[in-house]
């Protein structure tokens, strides 16, 4: 019985552990790859309508990116192809 366990079950457990570890480490690396971009403060009608501020991400993390990451401060935006600050950014 002991040799049957060693010869059959133990190698299967090692393979299951290895496969599980491989998927776990891959998922962890994928979640850390976040696109960091410069967030801009909107100044509608001003000569410079967008002012660079903090670093933000384009990936929706559920929390909007704000100046200094303080909830009461203005939201930050990304520029579109026309250099308008209209694309929402999120806290990294």
């Amino acid at each position: 019985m002991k040799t049957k366990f060693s010869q059959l079950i133990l190698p299967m457990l090692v393979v299951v552990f290895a496969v599980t570890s491989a998927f776990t480490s891959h998922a962890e690396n994928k979640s850390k790859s976040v696109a960091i971009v410069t967030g801009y403060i909107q100044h509608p009608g001003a000569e410079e309508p967008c002012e660079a501020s903090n670093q933000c991400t384009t990936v929706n993390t559920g929390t909007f990116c704000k100046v200094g990451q303080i909830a009461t401060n203005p939201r930050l935006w990304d520029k579109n192809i026309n250099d308008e600050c209209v694309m929402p950014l999120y806290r990294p």
Side-chain angles (χ1 to χ4, degrees):
M1 178 72 175
K2 193 172 187 180
T3 57
K4 197 174 208 179
F5 177 79
S6 297
Q7 290 177 346
L8 263 170
I9 306 297
L10 192 58
M12 288 173 53
L13 289 174
V14 170
V15 169
V16 168
F17 178 74
V19 170
T20 305
S21 297
F23 282 114
T24 303
S25 65
H26 177 67
E28 183 178 318
N29 290 340
K30 187 175 182 182
S31 67
K32 289 184 181 178
S33 60
V34 176
I36 301 295
V37 296
T38 300
Y40 294 90
I41 303 170
Q42 287 181 333
H43 296 295
E47 189 176 312
E48 281 292 320
C50 299
E51 176 188 347
S53 186
N54 297 38
Q55 297 295 308
C56 304
T57 180
T58 56
V59 177
N60 187 343
T61 59
T63 306
F64 290 117
C65 192
K66 298 194 175 220
V67 176
Q69 303 303 350
I70 299 171
T72 56
N73 287 352
R75 278 180 60 185
L76 297 176
W77 305 85
D78 194 11
K79 291 182 178 183
N80 63 11
I81 58 173
N82 297 325
D83 280 341
E84 301 167 326
C85 300
V86 294
M87 299 168 58
L89 291 175
Y90 303 92
R91 189 176 188 171

